[in-house]
Amino acid sequence: MLDIVKERRFMQITIALLVVLNLALIFSMFIHNQRPPGPPGQGGGESFLRDELELTPDQVAKFEMIRSQHFESTSPLVRDLSDSLDLLISGAFDPRMDVNRAIKLAQNAGKMHTELDLALYDHFGRLSQICTPEQQKRLMELASEMTRGGPPPPSHNERGRDRPPPPRRP
């Protein structure tokens, strides 16, 4: 009876981990949208960043170089993470799958996810270095919108008098 409870608990944890990793993979795929680039200024990341951040042509060129290097370095990791998750999910339907093997696959996926997170951290750090302070603020807002699926919450100083404070937690 204890083994069934342990296995059920393990499966719940594994499923929760898979959900988190899948959301991260979807986010990563959103960030790494690999459509072939069109002519400069016609759609894609270059046009979006140029318009949203009001980039100079020199900044656009630097952004595209940094972006290209980021995608080039992380694409193999994204593919490996996807393959690892596929193995883990297919293993859930394979009666021969060993629990220890599932744990190793999940841990490996977690390590790859950490590498992707650190690469994203480095990527935004490099992008912010070529921005003016005003552009850095807007870049931070855009990054927050991408990671959270919406605009960032206002900071305490930006809340203003017309907005009520957040509710207190009991």
Side-chain angles (χ1 to χ4, degrees):
M1 183 66 169
L2 188 56
D3 288 337
I4 293 172
V5 173
K6 283 183 181 178
E7 285 182 9
R8 183 180 173 112
R9 181 75 173 145
F10 172 75
M11 290 305 288
Q12 289 173 336
I13 291 170
T14 301
I15 289 171
L17 178 64
L18 286 174
V19 168
V20 169
L21 290 174
N22 279 328
L23 289 173
L25 181 60
I26 290 168
F27 167 73
S28 176
M29 289 169 37
F30 175 77
I31 294 292
H32 300 289
N33 188 357
Q34 296 187 10
R35 287 178 288 172
Q42 297 199 1
E46 177 183 327
S47 175
F48 176 76
L49 290 174
R50 185 188 67 229
D51 295 343
E52 288 293 319
L53 299 176
E54 300 176 1
L55 298 175
T56 65
D58 184 51
Q59 286 176 314
V60 169
K62 290 177 182 175
F63 260 64
E64 284 302 306
M65 182 190 66
I66 291 169
R67 183 174 181 256
S68 176
Q69 290 170 348
H70 174 70
F71 291 156
E72 208 172 284
S73 69
T74 58
S75 290
L77 191 56
V78 170
R79 281 191 299 274
D80 290 347
L81 177 59
S82 178
D83 293 345
S84 181
L85 291 174
D86 287 344
L87 283 173
L88 186 60
I89 292 169
S90 65
F93 300 99
D94 184 354
R96 299 170 296 171
M97 178 67 140
D98 180 74
V99 172
N100 291 326
R101 171 85 171 125
I103 290 170
K104 287 180 185 176
L105 286 170
Q107 288 172 337
N108 188 40
K111 288 177 186 174
M112 287 186 275
H113 187 339
T114 299
E115 287 181 49
L116 282 172
D117 287 345
L118 292 173
L120 189 61
Y121 167 82
D122 180 60
H123 178 63
F124 278 110
R126 291 179 64 203
L127 291 177
S128 71
Q129 289 177 352
I130 61 172
C131 291
T132 65
E134 294 81 20
Q135 290 171 328
Q136 286 176 349
K137 182 177 178 184
R138 182 63 183 135
L139 179 62
M140 188 171 69
E141 291 170 355
L142 292 171
S144 182
E145 287 177 22
M146 285 188 282
T147 59
R148 289 191 176 92
S155 70
H156 179 69
N157 294 335
E158 295 172 343
R159 188 174 298 124
R161 294 176 191 247
D162 58 331
R163 296 183 81 179
R168 292 184 183 245
R169 300 205 183 248

